[in-house]
Amino acid sequence: MSTKLNLSILSANSSSSKGRRFEEPSSEGRTNFQRDRDRILHSSAFRRLMHKTQVFINHEGDLFRTRLTHSLEVSQIARTCARRLYLNEDLTEALCLSHDLGHTPFGHAGQFALNRCMKKIDSISNGFEHNIQSLRIVDLLERKYAKFDGLNLSFETREGILKRCSKNAAKKLGDVAKRFIDGGNPSLEAQLANLADEVAYNHHDLDDGLRAGLLCLDDVLHIPTAMEQATIVDELYPDIEKNRRQSEIIRRMISAQVDDLVLTSISNLHNANLYSIEDVRTFSKPLVGFSSYMKENVSKLKKFLHDQMYKHPSVMEMTSVAEEVIENLFFKMINDSKEHYDVKRLRVIADTIAAMTDRHAASLHEKWFPKKVIWPSPVGFV
Ligand code: MG
């Protein structure tokens, strides 16, 4: 049996989707997953990603990744893999474009601060988690369709958006979160989108860190896959200028990870001997993945980025101001509310803050607390 026949029966099929929360007639000329992708692309939350931080705050430079360009890069990498693995490209694209919709302003610093604030006010609250918020946006918070709140996406898209979830939170989310209680896997498309996210951010953060002058390429070359690609580039183009050498090495590192992911996943799927998407869901572990050699390299790259970039004093300085801004906005809204401990009110405040773009949050803070925080100088110049 050919690779195509073996693998295509394991992909998500739009016509056998588990359906939408509210029944709708099917769309003329589009599959369910194409329609999901289109609804995500037309949402307000998607457009806000343009002004939300990936690592560098919006004002730091025009060439750094934002959540929007990050999501597009994830989608491009995942679609390339999906085509090679005979998976559903439309579902893959929908998942990648929506995976970060729930992010707060100021990246992980914003999420960390908002989560801490929520738990401070209500210790039994589930706090704030951007994956759950992404689902909340597509299920409830987008208000543009006449017949329902949210985007009324297909089960498979909603299931894939929810990448992580505590057991406690899962109990309130129904079927879409069942695997976090009973165990099991999401679709192969969701598994792929998850790893494409990692491939994208590890490499574009590396690229942005080098551009900002926080990282040094010679240090990156201690990671074996980076050194392998540098050796190839240096042999092919011995006189290449510094910036082109850097870009060639990074793009080849991405290709090496993509190739490894595709070949390892094909091998995993063949060895698992599965016959349907239900077999994928109940299999003992995820099937889309890297070889052990590449996993080790990914860990080294992550550790390098963590130590040299995410914990860099300039980034940390910006992070701590961002956290202070989110905390100040949160407690101002709490104090202005007469229903301090009402759980619903708390969630509305979290929704409001999470929806803000970086510049909206910064300008509201400036209005409410003039001169209270001083943003550090931008870390990089482009
Ligand atoms: Mg992401």
Side-chain angles (χ1 to χ4, degrees), residues 170 198 241 330 344 368:
E198 280 194 33
E241 67 197 67
F330 180 86
K344 277 191 187 158
W368 284 351

Side-chain angles (χ1 to χ4, degrees), residues 153-201:
L153 302 181
S154 308
F155 175 88
E156 293 74 9
T157 307
R158 297 174 57 238
E159 171 205 43
I161 287 174
L162 199 60
K163 280 198 296 194
R164 277 176 281 277
C165 184
S166 68
K167 269 193 181 178
N168 232 356
K171 285 177 195 156
K172 297 174 190 162
L173 294 172
D175 272 5
V176 79
K178 210 163 162 270
R179 75 180 189 277
F180 297 102
I181 300 168
D182 301 344
N185 307 302
S187 65
L188 294 174
E189 287 79 0
Q191 296 179 32
L192 171 60
N194 192 14
L195 283 183
D197 185 22
E198 280 194 33
V199 176
Y201 70 66

Side-chain angles (χ1 to χ4, degrees), residues 54 67 70-71 74 96 99-100 103 130 163 197-198 201:
Q54 179 64 26
R67 286 275 158 208
H70 161 68
S71 301
V74 175
C96 294
H99 83 285
D100 271 352
H103 258 293
H130 81 267
K163 280 198 296 194
D197 185 22
E198 280 194 33
Y201 70 66

Side-chain angles (χ1 to χ4, degrees), residues 96-149:
C96 294
L97 295 180
S98 57
H99 83 285
D100 271 352
L101 290 181
H103 258 293
T104 59
F106 312 130
H108 287 281
Q111 164 170 301
F112 181 71
L114 189 51
N115 184 42
R116 191 174 53 206
C117 292
M118 292 285 282
K119 290 193 163 164
K120 206 183 263 184
I121 292 292
D122 178 5
S123 58
I124 57 162
S125 139
N126 285 322
F128 180 87
E129 212 285 313
H130 81 267
N131 282 295
I132 297 177
Q133 191 68 11
S134 297
L135 185 66
R136 196 168 154 75
I137 287 169
V138 301
D139 277 357
L140 189 69
L141 298 179
E142 284 284 325
R143 304 255 161 96
K144 58 196 299 179
Y145 296 93
K147 292 190 173 169
F148 44 78
D149 287 341

